[in-house]
Amino acid sequence: MEGDIRSAVQSSFQISTLGESGYGQVSDVERVRAFWRRVERYDAGAQVRRGERTGPEKQLVIVSGWACELRILPDGRRQIFSFLLPGDAIEARGTGSVGSCGVVALTRLEVVNRGPPLTADPACRDAAHQRERRLYDHLVRMGRLSAKERVIHLLLELYDRLDRVGLVHGETFKIPLTQEVFADALGLSVVHINRTLKGLRKEGWVCIKAGSVTLRNRPRLAAASCYRSEADDLEFDALMQHAGEDRMGCVVPPPKRNLSA
């Protein structure tokens, strides 16, 4: 698994990270060695950094492993609101009024410091746009989708993100998440998660075995969970631009009754 991940992210780091290392005219072997000397490693369960202490002097990018952004309440309850995968940057998060912020390694994690983030870089702007998009998706997922829809929607999101870095084989991908982690990410109990996953397996929609997930008939799963990929959004935007009008107002009906009625 670790070797697959390193190979998958090699091309992206070759330009963005290794290319910025400033070692001049050196061999590829020397550059790679220099790169791996800068890698920080964390064991599963370790806190990578506290969001409120993150400064602008460095940007950590995941080389291998999974992490999550979460908030923990004083009584131990936690809410996971983002999974961080290979190639993702660990961004600064401010303090919040509910719980303490943190980034925790879900598996053995390797990260590298790329230095100060370049906000003018198109790649950085695109990454920020994707993070914002996923955050809004998560809010809708938590607030309006059923338990079954939430599980399918999250699996489809993880599939698409892992597929972009070459970590999907056919319809199958590795997923090192426990049912407890899924419950904390989707605002459900472990019992509810277990029951939902059993139902999906029984219906033949999802196969989960030995830490791997296989999604059967992704278009059907997407339709059943209101899931739209980035490709779907780009196609939709192109159609809207071609039509020359904004139809989003048609989606929201005018209010009939106020809250006090």
Side-chain angles (χ1 to χ4, degrees), residues 20-212:
E20 297 169 2
S21 56
Y23 289 96
Q25 300 298 323
V26 295
S27 69
D28 289 342
V29 173
E30 291 172 328
R31 294 175 68 188
V32 171
R33 286 176 177 170
F35 168 76
W36 284 109
R37 282 196 294 267
R38 296 158 53 201
V39 170
E40 303 174 22
R41 295 172 176 84
Y42 298 87
D43 293 327
Q47 182 162 295
V48 179
R49 62 164 60 176
R50 293 186 180 276
E52 62 269 20
R53 294 181 182 176
T54 301
E57 70 281 357
K58 68 177 182 176
Q59 180 187 50
L60 298 183
V61 179
I62 297 178
V63 178
S64 69
W66 288 46
C68 68
E69 294 178 279
L70 50 71
R71 290 196 180 186
I72 303 177
L73 301 181
D75 61 4
R77 287 176 294 168
R78 63 183 186 176
Q79 175 64 57
I80 295 172
F81 55 92
S82 176
F83 289 108
L84 301 173
L85 310 179
D88 288 342
I90 299 176
E91 295 296 325
R93 300 290 183 183
T95 58
S97 61
V98 181
S100 57
C101 306
V103 175
V104 174
L106 296 173
T107 65
R108 189 174 187 275
L109 193 68
E110 293 181 324
V111 301
V112 65
N113 177 17
R114 285 189 56 188
L118 304 175
T119 56
D121 185 359
C124 290
R125 292 198 300 267
D126 182 62
H129 173 74
Q130 291 179 10
R131 286 192 300 271
E132 183 182 40
R133 178 182 185 274
R134 289 197 298 267
L135 180 58
Y136 279 110
D137 286 348
H138 186 62
L139 290 173
V140 177
R141 183 164 56 212
M142 294 283 290
R144 283 295 177 261
L145 299 189
S146 67
K148 181 178 179 179
E149 290 171 335
R150 292 184 204 183
V151 171
I152 296 174
H153 194 280
L154 179 56
L155 289 175
L156 286 169
E157 177 190 299
L158 294 174
Y159 176 97
D160 281 346
R161 293 176 63 191
L162 290 170
D163 188 45
R164 284 197 293 270
V165 293
L167 295 178
V168 173
H169 304 281
E171 295 183 326
T172 302
F173 59 94
K174 296 285 187 180
I175 182 168
L177 304 181
T178 64
Q179 292 188 9
E180 289 79 7
V181 170
F182 248 76
D184 290 338
L186 296 177
L188 301 168
S189 68
V190 175
V191 173
H192 207 159
I193 289 290
N194 185 271
R195 186 185 306 122
T196 302
L197 290 174
K198 283 184 177 179
L200 292 173
R201 285 194 294 262
K202 185 177 180 180
E203 294 171 6
W205 291 37
V206 175
C207 177
I208 302 177
K209 185 178 181 181
S212 295

